[in-house]
Amino acid sequence: MKRAVKIAVVLLVVLAAAIAAALLFGAEWASPFSNDAGERAILFDIRMPRVLLGACVGASLAVAGAGLQALLRNPLAEPYLLGVSNGAALGTMLAFVVFGNYVFARPLFAFAGAAIASVVVYSLAKTRAGMNVERLVLSGVIVTTFLSSVIIMLTTLLDAARLRSFTFWLLGDLSQATWSGVYLSFGAAVIATAILASQSRALNLMMLGERDAVDFGVEVGRVRLLVFGASSLVVGAAVAASGSVGYVGLIVPHLLRLAVGSDNRIVVPMSAIAGAAFVVLADLAARVAIAPRELPVGAVTALLGAPLFIYLLRKN
Amino acid sequence: MLEAREISVQYGGRTVLSDASLCLSPGKITAIVGANGAGKTTLLKALNGSVPISSGEVLLDGTSLASLSRGEIARRVAVVAQETESRFPVTVREFVLTGRFAYGSSFGWEDAKDLEAATCAIAACELENFKDRLMNNLSGGERQRVVLARALAAQGRVLLLDEPTANLDLAHQTLMFRLVVERCATQQYASAIITHDLNLAAEFADEVVMLAAGRIVHKGAPREVLTAANIREIFRVEVILDTNPSSGKARVTQVY
């Protein structure tokens, strides 16, 4: 417990530093002490919601990744790679097509899409003998490509201007951040982190094997429902606000496990803090790398995540 | 203590265990033997309610398992399953502590009692020098001892062991059985052990249950069940039966 507190303090300091850097730096330096209206608008109206949304999205995706990995006994399980993010993206697009500008329909549909994709991938990957790495990854690929095709078909319904912003959004983009998106993502991230952290001791057993978990007292069905439910909630809210930012749920829990071990009572809650810092920094890189132009943050996380995925796949 | 009454188990419509009745009593060791695929592991899983039974019932201290939560069962029945390999880096101590799950809240941290139980179990299985090592860096036999240590840390009064000696050298096979015998003799544990080693069954078990095609075909004292005729019937091999000169128990020697 003491160790968890120490790690939390270190990560919170890193997160605070990342948020401060992301607020101050960008295409232009913005001073928090400036009286210039333009500079204050950049800092508080443009960067602040974007940075905070990035933190919420990072926390959401990382904590969902940590939970899914332990539940599925697979370090490669990640919302983006399993097709859960694409399920949420399709849900968001459907809400957009059906309900237009009624924005609160989007996270609801995103949640439903993420939940359905989770259940489908799980059902495809699970056999009576258990679930191996290849089968889970392949199931994720199948679901992801199927959902991508449907999303592409839906984009043909969009006009040219919307198509560009949707393409950016699909790749994972924080530039459209709004305060309502921040509040919603923050609420979802807090609820999901609390649910997943409450199951983290059970996840320590699930991580070793489903039979181990049953034998030593875990109500496996309940834990599975809570983890899938919480990760769908949080991925739905994150994707509705910022599109599919990939690999965060892979990179962050993996690095944490290297640093602090596999105890989910530490890995799960700390993934939320570390994930927040990671996406804030990745988005800062996306803003300054080719300034004044911007990259989608999803492109930066994928550049870092794809090599790690290959490394983990080979290792497994 | 733990009693199965005419239980059957089906997987996808196929019956893998039929009308099995068995009683595990305090202080006694029951060895479960049989050919591969005879239903031994299924019987063990049914005894702690980890597979659903299609008929019959299992009673734990007189209460049907169906009416108990997983946590209540886990506090009274500890399991040594065939060892599995985790893809996550887990230390021996962390692994053993997972055996204490049923005693705490889902997020809670272990208390002094949990830590003491784990420390004692690690010492009993001669694993003190390994406790900070990662499970994935241990040999199969070392991992098997850790799996036993976790079951001992769980402190269930019924011990169910699924081929616990499969990866062990001769010294650790004896250690494993002696630990179980000692728990049964001094703390009145009841235990069931699946084993392919008929000599270990003859040496340490109070009762031997012989399974074939999902049915219990012979049950009784080792000398009554481990006969040349029964072994030929179940395993289709010829054996010579005599007496172990050091222990006076039955000794099985296969004729090749």
Side-chain angles (χ1 to χ4, degrees), chain B residues 8-229:
Chain B
S8 298
V9 175
Q10 294 187 332
Y11 286 141
R14 191 170 60 92
T15 302
V16 287
L17 189 69
S18 299
D19 300 325
S21 295
L22 183 68
C23 186
L24 306 183
S25 311
K28 303 279 186 221
I29 296 177
T30 301
I32 301 170
V33 300
N36 292 332
K40 304 185 293 295
T41 298
T42 302
L43 171 60
L44 212 66
K45 285 181 177 178
L47 287 177
N48 86 331
S50 58
V51 291
I53 52 176
S54 52
S55 63
E57 66 174 343
V58 181
L59 300 171
L60 178 57
D61 295 326
T63 310
S64 170
L65 275 193
S67 65
L68 298 172
S69 71
R70 288 306 323 161
E72 286 170 314
I73 296 170
R75 282 193 289 275
R76 290 193 259 169
V77 182
V79 178
V80 177
Q82 286 170 25
E83 59 114 354
T84 50
E85 205 168 333
S86 170
R87 296 190 191 95
F88 296 94
V90 177
T91 67
V92 166
R93 192 167 165 279
E94 285 171 338
F95 188 94
V96 173
L97 279 170
T98 62
R100 301 293 298 175
F101 173 79
Y103 293 91
S105 64
S106 51
F107 187 70
W109 299 78
E110 293 85 6
D111 60 18
K113 214 172 161 187
D114 296 324
L115 297 174
E116 193 196 335
T119 306
C120 291
I122 286 171
C125 296
E126 299 181 353
L127 289 163
E128 287 107 325
N129 295 335
F130 297 86
K131 65 177 188 289
D132 296 318
R133 294 255 303 267
L134 291 177
M135 285 292 282
N136 292 348
N137 295 341
L138 301 183
S139 70
E142 287 159 352
R143 271 206 295 273
Q144 192 65 53
R145 277 153 58 204
V146 182
V147 177
L148 173 68
R150 176 175 65 174
L152 296 181
Q155 295 178 327
R157 301 278 309 285
V158 179
L159 265 179
L160 304 178
L161 304 99
D162 191 349
E163 292 188 48
T165 56
N167 291 312
L168 298 182
D169 59 38
L170 289 176
H172 286 112
Q173 283 181 18
T174 312
L175 170 76
M176 175 82 78
F177 267 87
R178 285 205 185 288
L179 279 170
V180 177
V181 169
E182 184 194 297
R183 287 287 197 287
C184 290
T186 61
Q187 297 177 44
Q188 293 299 296
Y189 278 30
S191 74
I193 304 180
I194 293 177
T195 181
H196 284 296
D197 191 325
L198 300 182
N199 283 313
L200 283 174
E203 197 66 35
F204 294 106
D206 299 289
E207 183 180 47
V208 175
V209 169
M210 212 174 239
L211 274 171
R215 289 185 177 277
I216 294 179
V217 287
H218 302 288
K219 188 164 66 172
R223 279 210 184 267
E224 293 165 18
V225 173
L226 296 173
T227 63

Side-chain angles (χ1 to χ4, degrees), chain A residues 26-27 50 164-165 167-176 242 244-245 279-304:
Chain A
R50 178 176 182 150
R164 189 181 180 282
S165 74
T167 310
F168 241 65
W169 171 81
L170 274 177
L171 291 168
D173 179 34
L174 292 164
S175 66
Q176 308 294 319
S242 70
S244 306
V245 183
V279 170
V280 167
L281 290 174
D283 188 50
L284 176 60
R287 282 190 284 131
V288 299
I290 53 166
R293 285 167 168 268
E294 284 186 8
L295 290 166
V297 64
V300 176
T301 57
L303 275 174
L304 297 168

Side-chain angles (χ1 to χ4, degrees), chain A residues 168-213:
Chain A
F168 241 65
W169 171 81
L170 274 177
L171 291 168
D173 179 34
L174 292 164
S175 66
Q176 308 294 319
T178 60
W179 281 108
S180 63
V182 173
Y183 299 142
L184 201 72
S185 294
F186 180 74
V190 169
I191 293 169
T193 304
I195 292 173
L196 292 170
S198 75
Q199 300 306 308
S200 56
R201 199 172 175 198
L203 286 172
N204 280 350
L205 265 161
M206 292 288 289
M207 193 168 77
L208 301 172
E210 206 161 297
R211 185 176 174 194
D212 294 59

Side-chain angles (χ1 to χ4, degrees), chain A residues 114-197:
Chain A
I116 293 168
S118 303
V119 172
V120 170
V121 170
Y122 180 77
S123 315
L124 284 176
K126 177 96 175 149
T127 62
R128 233 194 70 197
M131 193 186 301
N132 65 28
V133 179
E134 295 80 9
R135 208 177 156 95
L136 185 68
V137 171
L138 278 176
S139 305
V141 169
I142 292 163
V143 171
T144 302
T145 40
F146 175 77
L147 292 171
S148 295
S149 310
V150 180
I151 288 169
I152 288 165
M153 284 196 276
L154 280 176
T155 57
T156 58
L157 300 174
L158 302 171
D159 57 44
R162 282 200 164 134
L163 184 61
R164 189 181 180 282
S165 74
F166 257 101
T167 310
F168 241 65
W169 171 81
L170 274 177
L171 291 168
D173 179 34
L174 292 164
S175 66
Q176 308 294 319
T178 60
W179 281 108
S180 63
V182 173
Y183 299 142
L184 201 72
S185 294
F186 180 74
V190 169
I191 293 169
T193 304
I195 292 173
L196 292 170

Side-chain angles (χ1 to χ4, degrees), chain A residues 8-288:
Chain A
V9 169
V10 171
L11 288 174
L12 283 170
V13 169
V14 172
L15 174 61
I19 288 175
L23 285 173
L24 301 177
F25 296 104
E28 285 184 37
W29 161 265
S31 165
F33 307 111
S34 169
N35 288 324
D36 179 67
E39 215 168 308
R40 290 187 73 80
I42 289 176
L43 190 66
F44 294 107
D45 297 337
I46 299 174
R47 284 193 194 156
M48 187 77 91
R50 178 176 182 150
V51 170
L52 294 181
L53 180 65
C56 295
V57 166
S60 301
L61 297 174
V63 82
L68 288 171
Q69 283 158 23
L71 181 77
L72 301 173
R73 296 178 294 285
N74 192 328
L76 294 173
E78 200 262 10
Y80 183 72
L81 296 167
L82 291 182
V84 181
S85 295
N86 262 13
L90 179 58
T92 310
M93 285 200 78
L94 278 176
F96 181 76
V97 170
V98 178
F99 293 100
N101 288 328
Y102 184 61
V103 289
F104 288 102
R106 293 180 198 169
L108 286 178
F109 271 61
F111 168 61
I116 293 168
S118 303
V119 172
V120 170
V121 170
Y122 180 77
S123 315
L124 284 176
K126 177 96 175 149
T127 62
R128 233 194 70 197
M131 193 186 301
N132 65 28
V133 179
E134 295 80 9
R135 208 177 156 95
L136 185 68
V137 171
L138 278 176
S139 305
V141 169
I142 292 163
V143 171
T144 302
T145 40
F146 175 77
L147 292 171
S148 295
S149 310
V150 180
I151 288 169
I152 288 165
M153 284 196 276
L154 280 176
T155 57
T156 58
L157 300 174
L158 302 171
D159 57 44
R162 282 200 164 134
L163 184 61
R164 189 181 180 282
S165 74
F166 257 101
T167 310
F168 241 65
W169 171 81
L170 274 177
L171 291 168
D173 179 34
L174 292 164
S175 66
Q176 308 294 319
T178 60
W179 281 108
S180 63
V182 173
Y183 299 142
L184 201 72
S185 294
F186 180 74
V190 169
I191 293 169
T193 304
I195 292 173
L196 292 170
S198 75
Q199 300 306 308
S200 56
R201 199 172 175 198
L203 286 172
N204 280 350
L205 265 161
M206 292 288 289
M207 193 168 77
L208 301 172
E210 206 161 297
R211 185 176 174 194
D212 294 59
V214 173
D215 286 344
F216 286 92
V218 177
E219 302 285 354
V220 169
R222 194 173 63 95
V223 174
R224 196 183 292 138
L225 187 70
L226 284 170
V227 173
F228 275 138
S231 53
S232 300
L233 169 77
V234 86
V235 171
V239 169
S242 70
S244 306
V245 183
Y247 294 99
V248 178
L250 181 81
I251 298 168
V252 174
H254 177 72
L255 293 180
L256 267 175
R257 276 192 212 100
L258 280 181
V260 303
S262 298
D263 190 336
N264 287 300
R265 291 169 298 184
I266 296 175
V267 172
V268 168
M270 297 310 139
S271 285
I273 309 174
F278 176 71
V279 170
V280 167
L281 290 174
D283 188 50
L284 176 60
R287 282 190 284 131
V288 299

